[in-house]
């Protein structure tokens, strides 16, 4: 992998295509990490002034969708629609931007058939008993992205039972419908449905053109998916598919890639029962998107504490009535993000900024400028979208639940402490403070009165 200078191709907008979910299940936090990484890429490019067209697809035609729909007595379109809706709810919960286009395979079959016909006409694809395959040996540029060696690939490839291909490395563009398979379409080769890889070639061409700027996904997609997309798209158009490829590293659980097939997954929606959405995003940004990231309960709990500190600070500091953000801080943030979207470096800039915001200062315009910088940077990372009071209230409620704190008792003790302080009985007020501490609760005296938080 190497870094390159981003020089988007005219005409605007800058096109970005991200391979989206296969909608047969709820997404796990590994998927969420990848989508959150590209969410920040899009937000940052827009912050930088680029007009961006963001396309993220739904793979709604897939063996697993057909099989599970059947098990549940649903039609495949009903089943897929259910998980598309669920995905959208999850994406909103994680505060992700909506892409400009969310194309589905089932709505692009004509475009898929069109590319396949071009590939057959060019001699790089062939029909075989109702299936159509891409002929890898007819396409010399194959596997340049992953820099794999064809001989090695050939040694590892085999023809599975039921496949009609000529050579083991060939891959399916179109699969003839099996008897009883209802979600299928008419084509020049009979009824059938698209193979997996061709969908992204067809949908990216339709919505971004033959050649666009950025193509993304996680590392597992480099081979064969993206390699095959390149072979199909470039084989048909003769033009480079994407100018830049970006691949996100895996989220691991106990050092094993989180994956549906391995069963070691934490669903995003389950994680969001335990941790705040912005805290989960902050956890994702603790490592560069290209690197592997390890999930643990402690890591997300720490991220939530960090968010609590950020929001406490935002609540405390007066942001004034508008005006510029602190320029030096914004320059540092841009330097971080211009270097391959280095979100952890951007978070480090935020950390310094919050340390500064926590130092006592009489320079109100300076503090206001710093706070506005914090909010602007937060906006690009998808953080600080809540009002501090509301966020802190939700955080406390979650902590109360997780620690089993007796909230009614806390409130009674706080009332007692307020009364003691009003009577200037500081001995009693300190005693109550200690009693609360024993319950895992910290009291803070602020100009607005007592506030309390659950200790970590
Ligand atoms: P899928 O629904 O399996 O096609 O995956 C949707 C997206 O999540 C793809 O871009 C995958 O590459 C990505 N992905 C899958 N597993 C992980 C993981 N453990 N960590 C990060 N990204 C992942
Ligand atoms: Zn794709």
């Amino acid at each position: 992998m190497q870094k390159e200078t981003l020089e988007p191709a005219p005409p605007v907008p800058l096109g970005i295509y991200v391979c989206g979910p296969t909608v047969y299940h709820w997404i796990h936090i590994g998927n969420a990490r990848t989508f959150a990484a590209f969410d920040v890429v899009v937000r940052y490019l827009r912050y930088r002034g680029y007009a961006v067209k963001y396309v993220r697809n739904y793979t709604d035609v897939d063996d697993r969708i057909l099989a599970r729909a059947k098990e549940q007595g649903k039609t495949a379109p009903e089943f897929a629609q259910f998980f598309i809706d669920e995905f959208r709810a999850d994406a909103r919960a994680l505060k992700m931007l909506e892409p400009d286009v969310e194309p589905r395979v089932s709505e692009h079959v004509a475009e898929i058939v069109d590319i396949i016909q071009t590939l057959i006409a060019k001699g790089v694809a062939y029909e075989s008993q109702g299936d159509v395959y891409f002929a890898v040996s007819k396409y010399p540029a194959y596997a340049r992205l992953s820099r794999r060696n064809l001989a090695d690939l050939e040694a590892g490839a085999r023809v599975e039972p039921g496949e009609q291909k000529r050579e083991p490395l060939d891959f399916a563009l179109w699969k003839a419908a099996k008897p009883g398979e209802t979600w299928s379409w008419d084509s020049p080769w009979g009824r059938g449905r698209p193979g997996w890889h061709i969908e992204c070639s067809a949908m990216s061409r339709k919505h971004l053109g033959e050649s666009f700027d950025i193509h993304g996904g996680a590392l597992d997609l480099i081979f064969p998916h993206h390699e095959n997309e390149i072979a199909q798209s470039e084989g048909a158009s003769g033009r480079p598919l994407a100018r830049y490829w970006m691949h996100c590293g895996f989220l691991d659980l106990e050092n094993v890639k989180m994956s549906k097939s391995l069963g070691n997954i934490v669903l995003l929606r389950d994680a969001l029962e335990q941790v705040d959405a912005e805290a989960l995003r902050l956890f994702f940004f603790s490592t560069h998107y290209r690197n592997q990231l390890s999930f643990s309960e402690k890591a997300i709990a720490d991220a939530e504490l960090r968010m609590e500190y950020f929001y406490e600070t935002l609540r405390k500091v007066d942001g004034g009535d508008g005006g510029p953000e602190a320029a030096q801080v914004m320059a540092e943030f841009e330097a971080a993000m211009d270097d391959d979207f280095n979100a952890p470096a951007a978070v480090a800039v935020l950390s310094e900024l919050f340390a500064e915001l926590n130092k006592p200062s009489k320079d109100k315009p300076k503090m206001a400028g710093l706070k506005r910088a914090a909010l602007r940077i937060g906006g690009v990372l998808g953080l600080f979208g809540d009002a501090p009071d509301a966020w802190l209230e939700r955080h406390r409620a979650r902590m109360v639940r997780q620690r089993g704190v007796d909230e009614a008792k806390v409130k009674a003790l706080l009332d007692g402490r307020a009364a003691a302080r009003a009577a200037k009985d500081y001995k009693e007020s300190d005693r109550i403070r200690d009693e609360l501490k024993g319950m895992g609760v910290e009291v803070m005296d602020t100009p607005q009165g007592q506030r309390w938080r659950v200790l970590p």
Side-chain angles (χ1 to χ4, degrees), residues 151-169:
D152 291 347
L153 290 176
E154 266 155 16
R158 61 196 192 105
V159 180
E160 301 289 336
E163 291 184 319
Q164 319 297 334
K165 53 196 185 183
R166 290 181 193 152
E167 291 178 53
L169 272 189

Side-chain angles (χ1 to χ4, degrees), residues 109-368:
V109 176
E111 288 83 355
I112 288 171
V113 167
D114 184 67
I115 297 197
I116 298 176
Q117 283 181 302
T118 306
L119 291 170
I120 293 176
K122 291 200 166 183
V124 287
Y126 58 90
E127 189 259 356
S128 178
Q129 299 177 42
D131 289 351
V132 182
Y133 294 92
F134 188 93
V136 168
S137 62
K138 300 277 163 51
Y139 185 75
Y142 191 70
R144 286 215 179 130
L145 177 71
S146 55
R147 300 199 184 92
R148 297 208 189 194
N149 168 316
L150 272 195
D152 291 347
L153 290 176
E154 266 155 16
R158 61 196 192 105
V159 180
E160 301 289 336
E163 291 184 319
Q164 319 297 334
K165 53 196 185 183
R166 290 181 193 152
E167 291 178 53
L169 272 189
D170 296 351
F171 57 90
L173 301 173
W174 187 263
K175 297 179 192 169
K178 297 186 189 78
E181 249 174 33
T182 47
W183 216 14
S184 54
W185 290 263
D186 286 324
S187 81
W189 320 286
R191 266 195 98 72
R193 60 196 167 88
W196 172 31
H197 316 292
I198 193 70
E199 62 184 63
C200 290
S201 289
M203 292 186 283
S204 65
R205 184 176 79 172
K206 166 113 189 250
H207 299 287
L208 296 173
E210 281 175 349
S211 199
F212 55 91
D213 294 296
I214 299 176
H215 195 316
L219 281 177
D220 55 339
L221 298 186
I222 298 178
F223 187 87
H225 184 55
H226 288 164
E227 214 60 87
N228 292 355
E229 277 188 41
I230 293 173
Q232 298 158 161
S233 295
E234 301 189 5
S237 74
R239 299 180 58 195
L241 172 60
R243 294 157 61 81
Y244 308 99
W245 289 85
M246 293 176 65
H247 291 99
C248 188
F250 293 141
L251 183 74
D252 290 357
L253 188 65
E254 279 146 23
N255 293 320
V256 180
K257 180 196 167 208
M258 192 171 283
S259 93
K260 285 172 214 165
S261 53
L262 294 175
N264 62 337
I265 59 172
V266 176
L267 296 181
L268 174 60
R269 55 187 50 208
D270 292 340
L272 292 180
E273 295 280 318
Q274 300 303 318
V275 70
D276 168 70
E278 293 187 351
L280 187 59
R281 292 178 70 102
L282 189 68
F283 161 68
F284 290 152
F285 307 150
S286 62
T287 302
H288 192 274
Y289 76 84
R290 272 187 280 112
N291 298 339
Q292 174 267 353
L293 173 64
S294 290
F295 176 80
S296 71
E297 300 274 336
K298 171 145 189 348
I300 56 169
D302 287 350
E304 179 141 343
L305 279 181
R306 198 77 190 133
M307 284 308 297
E308 183 191 25
Y309 159 78
F310 288 156
Y311 270 110
E312 283 285 8
T313 307
L314 292 173
R315 170 151 79 181
K316 195 170 68 184
V317 178
D318 184 357
D321 316 316
E325 297 111 16
Q328 174 63 28
V329 177
M330 296 315 292
E332 285 168 19
F333 168 66
E334 287 166 19
M337 292 297 282
D338 283 350
D339 183 15
D340 194 12
F341 306 92
N342 194 336
V347 170
V349 172
L350 267 187
S351 291
E352 277 180 41
L353 173 53
F354 275 84
E356 199 63 34
L357 284 170
N358 274 291
K359 288 184 191 151
S361 166
K362 296 222 155 53
D363 187 346
K364 277 199 165 177
K366 179 186 148 202
M367 296 303 266

Side-chain angles (χ1 to χ4, degrees), residues 79 104 160 281 401 416:
F79 179 86
R104 306 173 183 201
E160 301 289 336
R281 292 178 70 102
R401 187 159 41 83

Side-chain angles (χ1 to χ4, degrees), residues 18-24 27-35 38 59 64 196 216-221 248-252 256-260:
V18 174
C19 293
T22 307
V23 283
Y24 71 102
I27 57 163
H28 59 68
I29 54 176
N31 308 129
R33 180 200 182 189
T34 294
F35 298 133
F38 288 102
T59 297
R64 292 162 294 188
W196 172 31
L219 281 177
D220 55 339
L221 298 186
C248 188
F250 293 141
L251 183 74
D252 290 357
V256 180
K257 180 196 167 208
M258 192 171 283
S259 93
K260 285 172 214 165

